[in-house]
Amino acid sequence: MPRRPLPATATFAALAAVLLTACGGTDSASDASSSDDSKAPAAATAKSLSATELDAKVLASADVKGFLVSEVTKEEKVTADKVTSERADCEPLSFALSGVALDDPSATAQRRATGKKTAPSGDAAKDDVDAAVDAAFDTTTSVVTLASYADEAAAKKALASIGTSVTACAAGYTYSAMGAEQKITKVTADAAPKTGDDAVAFTAAVRQEGMPKSGPMKVAAFRTGTTVTYVSSVNPASLLKGGDFDFPTVLVETQARKLG
Protein backbone atom coordinates (compact mmCIF):
# COMPACT_ATOMS: atom_id res chain seq x y z
CA MET A 1 0.00 0.00 0.00
CA PRO A 2 1.50 3.37 -0.94
CA ARG A 3 2.31 5.64 1.97
CA ARG A 4 2.00 9.40 2.03
CA PRO A 5 5.30 11.27 2.14
CA LEU A 6 6.24 12.71 5.52
CA PRO A 7 7.81 16.14 6.02
CA ALA A 8 11.58 16.34 6.17
CA THR A 9 12.99 16.58 9.70
CA ALA A 10 14.22 20.15 9.27
CA THR A 11 10.90 21.31 7.83
CA PHE A 12 8.91 19.67 10.59
CA ALA A 13 11.19 21.12 13.27
CA ALA A 14 10.57 24.60 11.91
CA LEU A 15 6.82 24.03 11.65
CA ALA A 16 6.55 22.61 15.13
CA ALA A 17 8.76 25.32 16.62
CA VAL A 18 11.50 22.91 17.61
CA LEU A 19 9.81 19.57 17.30
CA LEU A 20 7.30 22.42 16.06
CA THR A 21 -7.64 37.30 18.76
CA ALA A 22 -9.01 38.57 21.37
CA CYS A 23 -7.30 40.10 24.38
CA GLY A 24 -8.24 39.03 27.90
CA GLY A 25 -9.60 41.44 30.47
CA THR A 26 -12.27 44.11 30.10
CA ASP A 27 -12.46 47.85 29.67
CA SER A 28 -14.61 48.10 32.79
CA ALA A 29 -11.60 47.48 34.99
CA SER A 30 -9.78 50.38 33.38
CA ASP A 31 -12.81 52.62 33.79
CA ALA A 32 -13.10 51.74 37.46
CA SER A 33 -9.45 52.42 38.18
CA SER A 34 -9.59 55.78 36.46
CA SER A 35 -12.67 57.01 38.31
CA ASP A 36 -10.62 58.39 41.22
CA ASP A 37 -6.94 57.70 40.71
CA SER A 38 -5.96 60.28 43.33
CA LYS A 39 -7.46 58.12 46.10
CA ALA A 40 -6.36 54.76 44.74
CA PRO A 41 -3.27 53.17 46.36
CA ALA A 42 -0.18 52.90 44.18
CA ALA A 43 0.02 49.55 42.43
CA ALA A 44 3.06 47.42 43.20
CA THR A 45 5.54 47.21 40.37
CA ALA A 46 5.66 43.70 38.93
CA LYS A 47 9.07 42.05 39.20
CA SER A 48 10.99 41.08 36.09
CA LEU A 49 12.00 37.44 36.52
CA SER A 50 15.55 36.24 35.91
CA ALA A 51 16.51 33.28 33.70
CA THR A 52 16.96 31.15 36.82
CA GLU A 53 13.53 32.09 38.13
CA LEU A 54 11.89 31.39 34.78
CA ASP A 55 13.60 28.01 34.60
CA ALA A 56 12.13 27.13 37.98
CA LYS A 57 8.62 28.16 36.92
CA VAL A 58 8.49 26.71 33.40
CA LEU A 59 6.39 23.58 32.82
CA ALA A 60 7.82 20.18 33.87
CA SER A 61 6.66 16.59 33.28
CA ALA A 62 5.59 16.25 36.91
CA ASP A 63 3.21 19.19 36.49
CA VAL A 64 0.94 17.73 33.82
CA LYS A 65 -0.31 14.21 33.11
CA GLY A 66 -0.28 12.74 29.63
CA PHE A 67 2.64 14.81 28.34
CA LEU A 68 6.37 14.28 28.12
CA VAL A 69 8.06 17.61 28.90
CA SER A 70 11.67 18.02 27.85
CA GLU A 71 14.28 20.71 27.37
CA VAL A 72 14.85 22.11 23.90
CA THR A 73 18.37 21.42 22.70
CA LYS A 74 20.60 24.08 21.21
CA GLU A 75 20.33 22.41 17.81
CA GLU A 76 16.52 22.37 17.93
CA LYS A 77 16.01 25.87 19.27
CA VAL A 78 14.59 28.36 16.77
CA THR A 79 16.02 31.87 17.20
CA ALA A 80 14.78 35.21 15.89
CA ASP A 81 17.54 35.42 13.28
CA LYS A 82 16.30 32.13 11.78
CA VAL A 83 12.78 33.46 11.17
CA THR A 84 11.94 35.83 8.30
CA SER A 85 8.59 37.12 7.03
CA GLU A 86 7.68 38.51 3.64
CA ARG A 87 5.62 41.12 5.50
CA ALA A 88 6.96 43.00 8.51
CA ASP A 89 3.48 43.38 10.01
CA CYS A 90 3.13 39.59 10.11
CA GLU A 91 6.45 39.00 11.88
CA PRO A 92 4.87 38.65 15.36
CA LEU A 93 2.84 35.68 14.09
CA SER A 94 5.93 34.06 12.55
CA PHE A 95 7.82 34.37 15.81
CA ALA A 96 4.92 33.06 17.90
CA LEU A 97 4.39 30.08 15.57
CA SER A 98 8.10 29.27 15.76
CA GLY A 99 8.30 29.45 19.55
CA VAL A 100 10.33 32.66 19.51
CA ALA A 101 9.62 35.34 22.14
CA LEU A 102 8.69 38.71 20.65
CA ASP A 103 10.64 41.96 20.97
CA ASP A 104 13.56 41.98 23.40
CA PRO A 105 12.94 39.91 26.55
CA SER A 106 15.48 40.11 29.36
CA ALA A 107 15.32 36.34 29.96
CA THR A 108 13.59 33.26 28.55
CA ALA A 109 12.96 29.59 29.39
CA GLN A 110 11.61 27.00 26.98
CA ARG A 111 10.29 23.45 27.07
CA ARG A 112 8.73 21.04 24.59
CA ALA A 113 5.59 19.16 25.68
CA THR A 114 4.62 16.10 23.63
CA GLY A 115 1.36 14.26 24.18
CA LYS A 116 1.81 10.60 25.03
CA LYS A 117 0.14 8.22 22.60
CA THR A 118 0.48 4.53 21.81
CA ALA A 119 0.52 3.56 18.14
CA PRO A 120 -1.65 0.61 16.96
CA SER A 121 0.00 -2.76 17.26
CA GLY A 122 -0.68 -6.36 16.30
CA ASP A 123 -3.35 -7.03 13.69
CA ALA A 124 -4.36 -3.38 13.38
CA ALA A 125 -0.87 -2.34 12.35
CA LYS A 126 -0.48 -5.31 9.99
CA ASP A 127 -3.82 -4.73 8.27
CA ASP A 128 -3.33 -1.02 7.57
CA VAL A 129 0.25 0.22 7.67
CA ASP A 130 -0.83 3.68 6.47
CA ALA A 131 -3.33 4.00 9.32
CA ALA A 132 -0.69 2.91 11.81
CA VAL A 133 1.71 5.57 10.55
CA ASP A 134 -1.02 8.22 10.77
CA ALA A 135 -1.86 7.15 14.31
CA ALA A 136 1.79 7.32 15.34
CA PHE A 137 1.91 10.94 14.18
CA ASP A 138 -1.43 11.88 15.71
CA THR A 139 0.29 13.42 18.74
CA THR A 140 0.23 17.11 19.53
CA THR A 141 3.59 18.69 20.28
CA SER A 142 3.82 22.13 21.88
CA VAL A 143 6.62 24.54 22.61
CA VAL A 144 6.14 26.47 25.85
CA THR A 145 8.20 29.66 26.03
CA LEU A 146 8.36 31.97 29.05
CA ALA A 147 9.74 35.44 28.36
CA SER A 148 10.49 38.06 31.01
CA TYR A 149 10.40 41.73 30.00
CA ALA A 150 11.87 44.84 31.59
CA ASP A 151 8.44 46.07 32.70
CA GLU A 152 4.73 45.47 32.23
CA ALA A 153 4.52 47.99 29.39
CA ALA A 154 7.05 45.99 27.35
CA ALA A 155 5.22 42.74 28.08
CA LYS A 156 1.88 44.27 27.09
CA LYS A 157 3.37 45.60 23.85
CA ALA A 158 4.75 42.18 22.88
CA LEU A 159 1.40 40.46 23.48
CA ALA A 160 -0.66 43.17 21.79
CA SER A 161 1.43 42.94 18.62
CA ILE A 162 0.17 39.38 18.09
CA GLY A 163 -3.47 40.49 18.11
CA THR A 164 -2.69 43.30 15.67
CA SER A 165 -0.97 40.86 13.30
CA VAL A 166 -3.86 38.39 13.43
CA THR A 167 -6.11 41.06 11.95
CA ALA A 168 -3.56 42.42 9.46
CA CYS A 169 -2.50 39.00 8.18
CA ALA A 170 -5.87 37.21 8.13
CA ALA A 171 -5.65 36.50 4.39
CA GLY A 172 -2.31 34.73 4.76
CA TYR A 173 1.36 35.36 3.98
CA THR A 174 4.65 33.49 3.65
CA TYR A 175 7.46 33.15 6.15
CA SER A 176 10.59 31.07 6.62
CA ALA A 177 11.77 29.28 9.77
CA MET A 178 15.16 27.58 9.91
CA GLY A 179 15.36 27.79 6.13
CA ALA A 180 12.00 26.08 5.51
CA GLU A 181 9.43 28.23 3.72
CA GLN A 182 5.92 28.08 5.13
CA LYS A 183 2.82 29.21 3.25
CA ILE A 184 0.13 30.54 5.60
CA THR A 185 -3.20 30.51 3.75
CA LYS A 186 -5.37 31.91 6.54
CA VAL A 187 -5.11 33.29 10.08
CA THR A 188 -8.09 33.31 12.43
CA ALA A 189 -8.51 34.60 15.99
CA ASP A 190 -9.46 32.00 18.59
CA ALA A 191 -11.02 32.43 22.01
CA ALA A 192 -8.31 33.78 24.29
CA PRO A 193 -7.40 31.77 27.40
CA LYS A 194 -9.21 32.97 30.50
CA THR A 195 -6.02 33.36 32.47
CA GLY A 196 -3.33 35.91 33.17
CA ASP A 197 -3.67 39.67 32.89
CA ASP A 198 -4.12 39.64 29.09
CA ALA A 199 -4.32 36.81 26.57
CA VAL A 200 -4.56 36.09 22.85
CA ALA A 201 -4.95 33.00 20.66
CA PHE A 202 -5.01 32.21 16.95
CA THR A 203 -4.88 29.43 14.37
CA ALA A 204 -2.77 29.60 11.22
CA ALA A 205 -3.58 27.32 8.28
CA VAL A 206 -0.29 26.05 6.80
CA ARG A 207 -0.01 24.65 3.28
CA GLN A 208 2.75 22.02 3.05
CA GLU A 209 4.41 21.37 -0.30
CA GLY A 210 2.87 18.26 -1.87
CA MET A 211 -0.06 18.19 0.55
CA PRO A 212 -3.62 18.56 -0.87
CA LYS A 213 -4.94 20.61 2.06
CA SER A 214 -3.78 23.18 4.58
CA GLY A 215 -3.20 21.99 8.13
CA PRO A 216 -3.50 24.03 11.35
CA MET A 217 -0.89 25.37 13.74
CA LYS A 218 -2.20 26.97 16.94
CA VAL A 219 -0.84 29.53 19.37
CA ALA A 220 -2.05 30.85 22.72
CA ALA A 221 -0.19 33.50 24.70
CA PHE A 222 -0.89 35.24 27.98
CA ARG A 223 0.75 37.83 30.21
CA THR A 224 1.39 37.50 33.93
CA GLY A 225 2.86 40.79 35.09
CA THR A 226 6.13 41.24 33.21
CA THR A 227 6.17 37.65 31.92
CA VAL A 228 4.57 36.48 28.67
CA THR A 229 3.93 32.78 28.08
CA TYR A 230 3.80 31.60 24.47
CA VAL A 231 2.39 28.13 23.69
CA SER A 232 2.67 27.04 20.04
CA SER A 233 1.19 23.67 19.08
CA VAL A 234 1.17 21.42 16.06
CA ASN A 235 -0.18 17.95 15.29
CA PRO A 236 1.76 16.19 12.48
CA ALA A 237 -1.23 14.06 11.46
CA SER A 238 -3.36 17.19 11.06
CA LEU A 239 -0.68 18.81 8.91
CA LEU A 240 -0.50 15.72 6.71
CA LYS A 241 -4.24 15.22 6.36
CA GLY A 242 -5.51 18.79 6.69
CA GLY A 243 -7.71 18.00 9.68
CA ASP A 244 -8.17 19.91 12.91
CA PHE A 245 -6.84 19.07 16.39
CA ASP A 246 -7.67 20.13 19.93
CA PHE A 247 -5.35 22.74 21.40
CA PRO A 248 -3.88 21.43 24.70
CA THR A 249 -5.44 24.00 27.02
CA VAL A 250 -4.17 22.04 30.03
CA LEU A 251 -0.66 23.28 29.24
CA VAL A 252 -1.81 26.91 29.40
CA GLU A 253 -3.79 26.35 32.59
CA THR A 254 -0.96 24.49 34.31
CA GLN A 255 1.68 27.01 33.32
CA ALA A 256 -0.52 29.86 34.53
CA ARG A 257 -0.84 28.23 37.94
CA LYS A 258 2.92 27.83 38.22
CA LEU A 259 3.44 31.50 37.46
CA GLY A 260 0.87 32.44 40.10
Side-chain angles (χ1 to χ4, degrees):
M1 177 182 293
R3 296 166 63 178
R4 291 190 293 274
L6 302 180
T9 301
T11 301
F12 181 64
L15 269 175
V18 298
L19 282 170
L20 16 194
T21 283
C23 292
T26 63
D27 290 337
S28 59
S30 298
D31 293 339
S33 64
S34 63
S35 60
D36 193 352
D37 291 340
S38 62
K39 296 181 181 180
T45 302
K47 177 186 175 183
S48 181
L49 301 181
S50 67
T52 300
E53 290 172 316
L54 288 180
D55 203 56
K57 288 181 175 292
V58 73
L59 206 65
S61 287
D63 299 324
V64 58
K65 293 182 180 180
F67 288 84
L68 174 64
V69 180
S70 58
E71 293 191 24
V72 178
T73 67
K74 182 179 179 181
E75 292 73 24
E76 294 171 326
K77 191 177 183 64
V78 181
T79 53
D81 62 315
K82 299 297 183 182
V83 180
T84 58
S85 297
E86 66 172 2
R87 290 174 50 183
D89 57 345
C90 300
E91 189 175 73
L93 302 185
S94 303
F95 284 161
L97 287 166
S98 302
V100 178
L102 276 66
D103 296 341
D104 188 23
S106 56
T108 62
Q110 190 173 72
R111 295 292 187 272
R112 176 173 53 220
T114 304
K116 297 178 181 178
K117 184 177 179 65
T118 302
S121 59
D123 293 338
K126 293 177 182 178
D127 293 341
D128 193 343
V129 175
D130 195 46
V133 172
D134 282 351
F137 279 88
D138 188 16
T139 300
T140 298
T141 294
S142 304
V143 173
V144 180
T145 305
L146 303 189
S148 180
Y149 293 86
D151 51 38
E152 288 195 46
K156 288 179 180 179
K157 176 177 175 293
L159 189 65
S161 66
I162 296 177
T164 300
S165 291
V166 167
T167 300
C169 308
Y173 71 103
T174 300
Y175 78 101
S176 176
M178 294 181 72
E181 185 175 277
Q182 311 301 335
K183 175 71 174 179
I184 304 297
T185 59
K186 184 180 181 181
V187 179
T188 55
D190 295 330
K194 296 183 182 300
T195 190
D197 301 310
D198 306 288
V200 65
F202 70 90
T203 294
V206 184
R207 187 65 170 269
Q208 282 284 283
E209 183 178 356
M211 294 295 106
K213 299 179 180 179
S214 296
M217 291 182 67
K218 303 187 179 187
V219 172
F222 64 92
R223 180 181 66 84
T224 308
T226 61
T227 301
V228 176
T229 299
Y230 304 88
V231 181
S232 52
S233 301
V234 64
N235 181 293
S238 291
L239 285 178
L240 290 170
K241 299 184 294 184
D244 196 12
F245 70 94
D246 293 328
F247 181 83
T249 56
V250 64
L251 299 181
V252 171
E253 296 165 352
T254 305
Q255 184 60 77
R257 285 195 297 270
K258 289 197 72 174
L259 286 169

